[in-house]
């Protein structure tokens, strides 16, 4: 079981703070209850031509094999409108997963980093073409070597007008 409290606050006309704090109760391998802090803090800023999102999140996760892990994750995204037709963006996402119980056998600890770039061409107010690039690096403790990948995606997007 667990509990969290969420807070949303406008810091200015263009900036919002979103946060949550709480705990998640788990059972360790000896059967004892253990409370672990969880939470998130995000700052979202919408300026005239820029949008910034910075976020830190700590979570506790269980697996089907009775292992419990804690994940610390950060995200940073920046989008800039070059004009009504074009915008660009860049982002970073990283997390680290570790076993919560030091006696966990065979737990797969993981380090993960993803960087990316985005170019958006707004054909009309409702249709756009998004060109997306992502480079991902992953290092898992139970594998002999790390892994990386590159991904290029083209999205045809429809956004209804509200």
């Amino acid at each position: 079981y667990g509990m969290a409290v969420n807070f949303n606050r406008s810091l200015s006309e263009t900036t919002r703070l979103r946060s949550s704090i709480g705990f998640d109760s788990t059972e360790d391998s000896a059967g004892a209850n253990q409370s672990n802090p969880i939470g998130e803090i995000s700052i979202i800023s919408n300026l005239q031509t820029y949008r910034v999102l910075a976020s830190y999140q700590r979570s506790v996760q269980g697996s089907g094999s009775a292992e419990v892990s804690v994940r610390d994750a950060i995200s940073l995204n920046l989008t800039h409108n070059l004009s009504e037709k074009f915008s660009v963006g860049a982002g970073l996402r990283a997390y680290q997963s570790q076993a919560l119980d030091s006696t966990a056998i065979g737990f797969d600890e993981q380090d993960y980093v993803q960087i990316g770039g985005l170019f958006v061409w707004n054909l009309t107010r409702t249709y756009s073409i998004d060109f997306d690039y992502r480079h991902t690096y992953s290092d898992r403790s139970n594998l002999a070597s790390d892994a990386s990948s590159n991904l290029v995606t083209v999205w045809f997007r429809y956004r209804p007008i509200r």
Side-chain angles (χ1 to χ4, degrees), residues 114-140:
Q114 184 177 72
I115 59 172
L118 175 69
F119 178 78
V120 178
W121 179 12
N122 294 307
L123 302 171
T124 66
R125 290 181 59 200
T126 57
Y127 292 98
S128 68
I129 300 174
D130 299 6
F131 302 92
D132 185 36
Y133 168 75
R134 295 179 191 191
H135 175 78
T136 304
Y137 168 82
S138 180
D139 185 14
R140 298 174 71 162

Side-chain angles (χ1 to χ4, degrees), residues 9 75-76 99 103 146 150 157:
R9 180 177 172 104
S75 294
L76 178 62
T103 61
D146 56 359
N150 293 292
R157 190 174 305 248

Side-chain angles (χ1 to χ4, degrees), residues 1-7 19-24 36-40 58:
Y1 65 93
M3 183 179 83
V5 177
N6 296 311
F7 302 98
S19 63
S20 69
I21 189 164
F23 70 93
D24 199 345
N36 305 288
I38 58 172
E40 175 184 2
R58 181 179 182 94

Side-chain angles (χ1 to χ4, degrees), residues 18-137:
R18 183 177 66 208
S19 63
S20 69
I21 189 164
F23 70 93
D24 199 345
S25 183
T26 59
E27 212 174 80
D28 64 17
S29 60
N33 280 338
Q34 181 177 350
S35 292
N36 305 288
I38 58 172
E40 175 184 2
I41 186 162
S42 299
I43 296 175
I44 303 155
S45 183
N46 289 305
L47 303 175
Q48 190 167 0
T49 60
Y50 287 95
R51 182 173 195 275
V52 178
L53 168 65
S55 176
Y56 168 77
Q57 183 178 32
R58 181 179 182 94
S59 59
V60 176
Q61 302 169 336
S63 73
S65 58
E67 295 169 339
V68 179
S69 66
V70 62
R71 176 184 281 190
D72 291 303
I74 61 167
S75 294
L76 178 62
N77 295 304
L78 173 66
T79 305
H80 175 59
N81 297 330
L82 300 172
S83 68
E84 281 190 24
K85 289 283 186 189
F86 302 105
S87 60
V88 294
L92 167 73
R93 183 171 62 153
Y95 68 79
Q96 182 179 48
S97 295
Q98 297 177 329
L100 195 58
D101 188 357
S102 60
T103 61
I105 299 171
F107 179 77
D108 184 20
E109 293 187 355
Q110 183 176 11
D111 295 323
Y112 174 95
V113 177
Q114 184 177 72
I115 59 172
L118 175 69
F119 178 78
V120 178
W121 179 12
N122 294 307
L123 302 171
T124 66
R125 290 181 59 200
T126 57
Y127 292 98
S128 68
I129 300 174
D130 299 6
F131 302 92
D132 185 36
Y133 168 75
R134 295 179 191 191
H135 175 78
T136 304
Y137 168 82

